[in-house]
Amino acid sequence: MPTEPTETRLSLDTRAARNLAATTKTRPQMQAISSRWLLRMLPWVDVRGGTYRVNRRLTHKVGRGRVSVAQSGADDVRIIPETLTELPALRGFPGRDVLAAIAATFTPREVRAGEVIVEAGAPVTELYVIAHGRLERLSPGKYGTTGSLGVIADGDQFGDDAFARQDARWPYTIKAATAGTILVSPWAELRRIEQGAPALREHVERYLESTRRPVNRRGEAAVDIASGHVGEPAINGTFVDYDLEPREYGLSVSQTILRVHTRVADLYNEPMNQLEQQLRLTIEEIREQQEWELLNNREFGLLHNADYGSRIYPRSGPPTPDDLDDLISRRRKTRMLLAHPRAIAAFSRECNKRGLVPGSAEVNGHEVLAWRGIPIFPCGKIPVTKEHTSSIVALRTGEDDQGVVGLYQTGIPEEHKPGLNVRFVGINAQAVMSYLVSAYYSVAILVPDAIGILEDVDVTAP
């Protein structure tokens, strides 16, 4: 590029002057920083003793889990025996040989979309586990219509209620919404194994005894209260029983060692402090990992610890307004919804199809999408599977509302931010300074219905 002769210029060239001028520069930027709405919106409880115990009323109703299925080929589908303890009647049963014998009674059956699996009112003669596919529960309405009671899918089971009643009948019709595979075990085979295994028979009898205890609608030990009486009848005494083995949450930790050469810290601290910028970006990365752990950690993460009774499936695949209504109606005071940005986009498309305009809510000066007045926060830490499905999480938060709370401890040694400290751990022979950066945290679900999950929503665009 030709330059203008020096003798024709009357002042210093700007390009030459720039060599002597200080530039206006930004702090180091980081693309991986996200909004981290979960960390910002959770109420945090200071856990002074390092452990948080969640005391609850004694519950007699045994929770239901999901049975796992192994598939080695199109025709080789089988139950993983140890996961049969997810059935309420087998919860805590230790006999692996007996569980293996029960698992061997299941045979795979292919189902077609629209095929009726069981009819309402028919006797329960088989136990079913869904290996793959989606089934819909249907119930005849009072006025001649058929209503949907929801969708069940992979790992769900039905028919195990016959453990409690010999003459059990199906309360609803189950029809295949998609083609899939189910595993079926005849009750006659299960009874035969039960009769030949005294330990199993005693375990089932204890379960049946627990089902006869008086409970409230949530399965908690009932409190005997008299009401509506007149005169002077004797009023029964009562007490509220507590769970003898409450769950305890210990604080988890995310750590790293930040290294900075002393020469950099000594000579290159103008106009920005190098150690300060290194520490700032390191803490941002730790906070990103912290939010991922609060959602995905198998020990305490919300996606893995939500009660299976609080998990539902979409009716048709993508998340519709009907699905979100079903999700938020299952708990009081739903405070927030968390969803992957692709799931939020899929929900918006469904609203567009119906001509609906979702509302918005102002949160901390930000305008976010809302449904029924409940803000929907984007969260890229919620996984999207290889089948392009994701989950939408509904939360009630706070100790006062028996919701979900974040856990940390403040006042720790050399604290840099609440629950996070930075400790100088020395200088090595290469003149490199090291700092240990640690964040301590966990999350607790105080009662099971504080969280609900709309699972396996399709996030693909049509």
Side-chain angles (χ1 to χ4, degrees), residues 229-301:
H229 51 276
V230 295
E232 299 178 353
I235 299 176
N236 295 331
T238 190
F239 66 97
V240 181
D241 208 352
Y242 298 140
D243 186 356
L244 296 179
E245 297 180 356
R247 178 167 180 177
E248 294 185 346
Y249 294 84
L251 295 182
S252 183
V253 62
S254 290
Q255 292 179 309
T256 190
I257 295 179
L258 172 64
R259 297 185 176 95
V260 180
H261 200 285
T262 53
R263 180 172 55 194
V264 172
D266 291 343
L267 302 180
Y268 299 96
N269 274 342
E270 293 295 337
M272 298 177 191
N273 186 291
Q274 293 286 349
L275 175 59
E276 180 182 310
Q277 296 305 316
Q278 287 281 302
L279 187 58
R280 178 179 66 86
L281 295 179
T282 300
I283 291 174
E284 292 286 359
E285 195 63 56
I286 284 180
R287 292 303 194 199
E288 294 292 327
Q289 180 65 27
Q290 177 180 346
E291 186 174 61
W292 188 93
E293 294 283 341
L294 293 184
L295 285 164
N296 297 285
N297 187 288
R298 297 196 68 86
E299 190 87 16
F300 57 84

Side-chain angles (χ1 to χ4, degrees), residues 55-70:
N55 290 308
R56 294 176 178 171
R57 282 180 62 178
L58 179 64
T59 300
H60 292 315
K61 183 179 179 181
V62 181
R64 180 185 302 274
R66 286 181 180 164
V67 176
S68 297
V69 176

Side-chain angles (χ1 to χ4, degrees), residues 66 134 153-154 312-314 317-318 385 388-392 453-458:
R66 286 181 180 164
R134 294 159 54 85
D154 304 10
I312 62 174
Y313 294 95
T385 68
H388 304 288
T389 62
S390 187
S391 300
I392 297 177
I453 301 180
L454 178 63
E455 294 189 313
D456 289 343
V457 297
D458 187 357

